[in-house]
Amino acid sequence: MTVAELITRDRIRLEPECSSQKRALETLGELLAVGGTESAGPASGAIFEALSAREKLGSTGLGHGVAIPHGRLAELDAPRVAVLRLDQGVDFDAMDHEPVDILIALLVPEAATSEHLDLLAQLARGLSQPDNIASLRRAGDAEVMERELTRAFGDA
């Protein structure tokens, strides 16, 4: 499975304002819950808790304004990806101390350890390319963002 296969427009949001890391993780939790019901998948609160618990272990901020919050949940049946791009970055305790404005969250089933690592590696490779980051920052709407993400992660 590739990151490109997991990207859906309904899990992409371009936000003009976001006040904090917590609010960014809450928004990602809401996006990752899209398409599911209580019986079909986890609620946004459970997703937020999983993402927050991982951040407490260490920041997922990669540097250059990019973060990859991620987590695992037992009640999830398949991996999900959500994308949040902010007009103004938020403090994410990134290694370079730069505010984060591009967040790509990954949520996988609890037992999917190798798939989790593979998808994280794909994200890290794609987001280590300055051209990919620049194109994500230029995207004017969710449709363009989806196209740029698919291009960036299509060759996983």
Side-chain angles (χ1 to χ4, degrees):
M1 177 171 287
T2 67
V3 169
E5 294 170 315
L6 299 174
I7 294 167
T8 62
R9 193 168 308 153
D10 60 343
R11 290 194 179 122
I12 297 171
R13 186 172 301 164
L14 283 57
E15 283 283 314
E17 292 185 33
C18 185
S19 58
S20 65
Q21 177 186 25
K22 178 184 178 200
R23 184 63 198 127
L25 293 176
E26 288 170 344
T27 301
L28 288 166
E30 294 163 9
L31 289 170
L32 287 165
V34 168
T37 63
E38 289 298 322
S39 62
S44 63
I47 296 168
F48 167 74
E49 291 300 325
L51 297 176
S52 294
R54 172 56 188 85
E55 288 301 322
K56 289 177 184 169
L57 297 174
S59 176
T60 59
L62 300 179
H64 305 290
V66 177
I68 308 174
H70 56 278
R72 297 190 293 180
L73 281 176
E75 60 267 32
L76 197 67
D77 58 356
R80 296 180 182 184
V81 168
V83 179
L84 177 62
R85 195 197 66 207
L86 308 172
D87 284 353
Q88 297 293 318
V90 295
D91 181 15
F92 228 82
D93 292 327
M95 295 184 309
D96 63 358
H97 306 290
E98 294 292 320
V100 167
D101 63 337
I102 297 174
L103 300 98
I104 301 183
L106 172 66
L107 191 66
V108 299
E110 194 168 60
T113 303
S114 63
E115 189 171 28
H116 186 186
L117 295 175
D118 180 53
L119 291 167
L120 279 174
Q122 289 178 43
L123 285 167
R125 274 193 306 275
L127 294 170
S128 69
Q129 303 298 318
D131 290 348
N132 289 342
I133 296 170
S135 69
L136 297 178
R137 286 194 173 114
R138 282 192 307 266
D141 58 34
E143 181 179 350
V144 174
M145 178 70 84
E146 179 183 32
R147 187 171 56 244
E148 291 302 323
L149 289 161
T150 302
R151 182 193 55 74
F153 298 107
D155 296 330

